[in-house]
Each structure stands twice: as C-alpha cells, then as structure tokens.
Amino acid sequence: DAGITQSPRYKITETGRQVTLMCHQTWSHSYMFWYRQDLGHGLRLIYYSAAADITDKGEVPDGYVVSRSKTENFPLTLESATRSQTSVYFCASRATGTGWGGYTFGSGTRLTVV
Amino acid sequence: AQTVTQSQPEMSVQEAETVTLSCTYDTSESDYYLFWYKQPPSRQMILVIRQEAYKQQNATENRFSVNFQKAAKSFSLKISDSQLGDAAMYFCAYRSEGGATNKLIFGTGTLLAVQP
C-alpha cells in the first residue's frame, strides 16, 4: 500500500534545464497539492488540483507548470530551472468532502539546481 | 488571507520533561481546522494532532495536547514526557472549513531538539 509516491527522491539539475517531479497516488483522491519547503518559510503551496483537468495556482506558482490528465497523477514541471528553485518538494492528496483532513503527504523530492 | 506564525525557530527540551511550542494564526473565519505536523529527518509529514475550531475542548493524543485559544487565535502544542523520538521539525497548519481549495496553510516550523 504505497499511498502517495514521489519520484525521484533526489535530483540535481543545471540552471535552465527543464525538470519534472512525479507524484502518484493510489486512492483516487480528488484533491492534490504541490508544496515547496524552504528553511524559514515552512511549506508554501505552489499549485493544487481539485480533480482531473482542474488546476489552480497557489502562493508561489511562478516558474512551475502542472497538469492532471489522470486523477492519480499530478506532475510538477520546472520549465527552466533556477537556483532559487532549489528546495524540497512535497506532493499531497486529500479525498473530497468536508471534515478535518485525511491529507497524505509523499516523502518529498530534494531538488538542487546548480 | 489566512496566515500562520510560529515564533520559535528552535526549541530544546530534556528527555522526560515537558515543552510547549507556540503557534498563532490570523483569520476572519469562524469555522476552520488547526493541525500540528511532525517532520523527522526522514522528511515524512506525520499528523500529530488536530483541533476543530467549533470544539471548545482542547484536543489530546497521548503525550500530545493543545491549548486552543480561539479568541486569541493561539494554538500551542504541549509535549509531555519528551522522548528522543520526538526530536523533529514541527509545523502548525490551518485549513478553512469549506471553500474550494482544501489547502493547508503552514507556519515556518519549530525545530525541536531533545537532550538525553
């Protein structure tokens, strides 16, 4: 029962390259999220998705692109990586409906842009 | 917009002692949820405890309890009988009740060290 899987776990890329971080969930949760974690900033929302083909910007979307053609996948693409995008990236999912939570987080991808 | 503030970047506690982590938030909403998440070095995000704003009673989960002061917009976490395994980054988080995004808003985190 993998739940939510992020890949790769670590990635080093060069400035200007395109890189895609993968996120896959096995529960058919409606909501999916991408956060970045930086020291002194906590976790900040990049993009989120309420369902397949429905995505919207979060707090820090610039330089990122997402897609959600299937409910279970929510890839995050850095179109032209910059050093400021060096961070740990977390994917999360949640079932639809009200209630307190049911959030599940992936184990994160540590991305270094050199 | 809602914000969450954790004013203690780092805290330290002796094993078996009690420590309190602070969290304040700003919102104009009356219905919401508050959470404390633990992040050990493995980077896993672990839900420690949650509080529904409509509940006056403070939530408790074993050695973890909260002091929820709705009027003061304060949500502190108390860890009793601290253990070495409690050493981690702790994040306070907020979520609106309802709304379209279901997003969590996080504080900047408090790094807790537990001294043997």
Side-chain angles (χ1 to χ4, degrees):
Chain A
D1 181 7
I4 187 164
T5 304
Q6 288 185 239
S7 60
R9 187 160 173 80
Y10 298 93
K11 175 74 175 178
I12 300 174
T13 192
E14 294 178 340
T15 300
R17 289 193 179 269
Q18 181 182 82
V19 60
T20 296
L21 310 184
M22 305 302 293
C23 179
H24 175 79
Q25 51 116 344
T26 59
W27 297 301
S28 299
H29 283 171
S30 294
Y31 289 92
M32 295 189 75
F33 309 85
W34 273 108
Y35 287 89
R36 60 177 288 174
Q37 181 180 355
D38 304 287
L39 193 63
H41 292 278
L43 282 80
R44 293 179 291 176
L45 184 65
I46 305 170
Y47 269 94
Y48 63 96
S49 170
D53 297 321
I54 301 175
T55 63
D56 208 346
K57 296 178 180 179
E59 182 185 357
V60 288
D62 293 345
Y64 303 95
V65 174
V66 294
S67 62
R68 196 164 176 210
S69 57
K70 293 184 178 181
T71 299
E72 61 268 29
N73 295 323
F74 191 39
L76 175 73
T77 297
L78 287 67
E79 295 182 298
S80 178
T82 65
R83 290 194 177 90
S84 65
Q85 292 177 310
T86 293
S87 186
V88 178
Y89 291 85
F90 286 95
C91 179
S93 71
R94 182 179 185 269
T96 190
T98 58
W100 60 269
Y103 295 90
T104 303
F105 287 83
S107 55
T109 294
R110 181 177 293 279
L111 176 68
T112 302
V113 182
V114 298
Chain B
Q2 296 84 18
T3 59
V4 177
T5 301
Q6 293 179 250
S7 58
Q8 306 156 316
E10 297 181 8
M11 291 282 285
S12 182
V13 64
Q14 291 290 127
E15 198 174 3
E17 297 295 308
T18 296
V19 65
T20 299
L21 308 184
S22 300
C23 173
T24 58
Y25 59 94
D26 188 26
T27 184
S28 59
E29 300 171 333
S30 58
D31 294 325
Y32 49 86
Y33 300 94
L34 295 164
F35 307 85
W36 279 98
Y37 280 89
K38 172 185 178 181
Q39 186 185 51
S42 66
R43 295 206 304 253
Q44 186 181 5
M45 292 289 285
I46 303 166
L47 178 64
V48 174
I49 199 166
R50 72 177 192 270
Q51 175 79 42
E52 291 89 339
Y54 65 85
K55 290 187 177 179
Q56 293 185 338
Q57 186 173 7
N58 289 325
T60 299
E61 291 286 345
N62 300 315
R63 297 183 295 106
F64 298 88
S65 61
V66 299
N67 183 3
F68 173 49
Q69 301 290 328
K70 191 173 183 179
K73 298 179 182 176
S74 172
F75 183 61
S76 60
L77 174 69
K78 185 171 81 171
I79 305 174
S80 304
D81 186 24
S82 296
Q83 301 175 359
L84 295 177
D86 294 334
M89 181 72 86
Y90 287 82
F91 291 101
C92 179
Y94 172 103
R95 184 178 81 78
S96 300
E97 168 63 275
T101 67
N102 279 260
K103 64 183 179 182
L104 287 171
I105 300 170
F106 289 89
T108 52
T110 296
L111 183 62
L112 178 66
V114 180
Q115 307 299 329

